[in-house]
Amino acid sequence: AAAPAGLAAAQTQAEPSSSAPAATAEAGAEEESERQQGQQADAASPQDAELTPEKSDQSKGIKPNAGRGADHGAYSWTQSLQEVSVAVPVGRGLKGKQLEVVAGKQHVRVAVKGQEPILDGPLSEPIKADETMWNLSDGVVELTLTKAEGMHWWASLLAGGPAIDVQAVEPENSKLADLDPETRQTVEKMMVRARDSEGRA
């Protein structure tokens, strides 16, 4: 019984001396690993700095088109502070009676009768349904929707649809003079806020 105990004692004595070099080697490896990570971080930081503005731009929404709206595959839309105009291509050779065009307070639908709708969904904001107008021109349904709550820009036509960056929307300066004083003051405040946000970005 003494022999195994002696062997165990020998192992116990040997363990500290054998583990010390291993611990030193591990510490050295950790330091080397930290240095490499630090170098990688240094190398990556300029790229991160370049990518940051792009990420923030994407989070604000897509760039508005010239009409302060957006162009999508099946339709496009533009807006003023009072109205939203929607263009839906339906194909040439059709007549108005072959179309189904419906605009409710919070819903819009454009379809060729007997076919799947081209545009159908809830609006992002309410409209004055009784003031809706539409016509058919060169194979395109042109809808004019009157905003129920004017004086601000819509971020999207349909609820849950792709949103534009409303901070990037600016009215045409030449039209400011045509607005009534209250509307003009509101527009000018919106333009100042947009410029301020660009300066901070």
Side-chain angles (χ1 to χ4, degrees):
L7 183 59
Q11 288 175 343
T12 305
Q13 291 173 355
E15 281 172 5
S17 60
S18 63
S19 63
T24 307
E26 287 174 8
E30 287 176 6
E31 289 176 9
E32 181 62 28
S33 174
E34 287 173 4
R35 280 199 297 271
Q36 290 176 353
Q37 288 175 359
Q39 290 171 356
Q40 290 172 356
D42 291 343
S45 57
Q47 295 176 351
D48 292 343
E50 290 173 8
L51 292 174
T52 301
E54 292 180 350
K55 289 178 182 174
S56 64
D57 287 348
Q58 289 172 354
S59 66
K60 290 179 184 176
I62 58 179
K63 184 179 179 181
N65 61 19
R68 309 171 197 93
D71 301 316
H72 305 294
Y75 67 94
S76 62
W77 64 283
T78 60
Q79 65 177 320
S80 67
L81 285 169
Q82 290 82 25
E83 295 179 341
V84 175
S85 299
V86 188
V88 185
V90 294
R92 292 177 182 274
L94 293 173
K95 296 182 179 179
K97 61 184 180 181
Q98 297 173 276
L99 301 173
E100 181 185 355
V101 181
V102 181
K105 183 179 179 181
Q106 288 240 217
H107 192 276
V108 65
R109 175 184 171 92
V110 177
V112 177
K113 289 181 179 177
Q115 299 181 20
E116 286 292 314
I118 302 166
L119 175 63
D120 187 15
L123 293 165
S124 64
E125 302 202 34
I127 62 168
K128 297 177 181 177
D130 55 346
E131 295 184 19
T132 298
M133 295 182 293
W134 71 274
N135 63 14
L136 178 62
S137 175
D138 293 328
V140 178
V141 170
E142 298 172 344
L143 270 160
T144 302
L145 312 175
T146 302
K147 296 179 180 180
E149 301 167 5
M151 307 310 298
H152 70 280
W153 305 117
W154 284 17
S156 62
L157 177 67
L158 299 180
I164 64 168
D165 179 4
V166 292
Q167 295 294 333
V169 174
E170 282 195 29
E172 296 176 27
N173 292 332
S174 59
K175 290 188 177 181
L176 280 175
D178 300 335
L179 300 173
D180 62 78
E182 185 181 349
T183 305
R184 186 187 315 163
Q185 188 177 15
T186 303
V187 172
E188 287 170 349
K189 284 180 182 176
M190 292 170 70
M191 292 172 69
V192 168
R193 280 201 301 270
R195 280 197 295 268
D196 287 347
S197 66
E198 287 175 5
R200 286 194 299 270

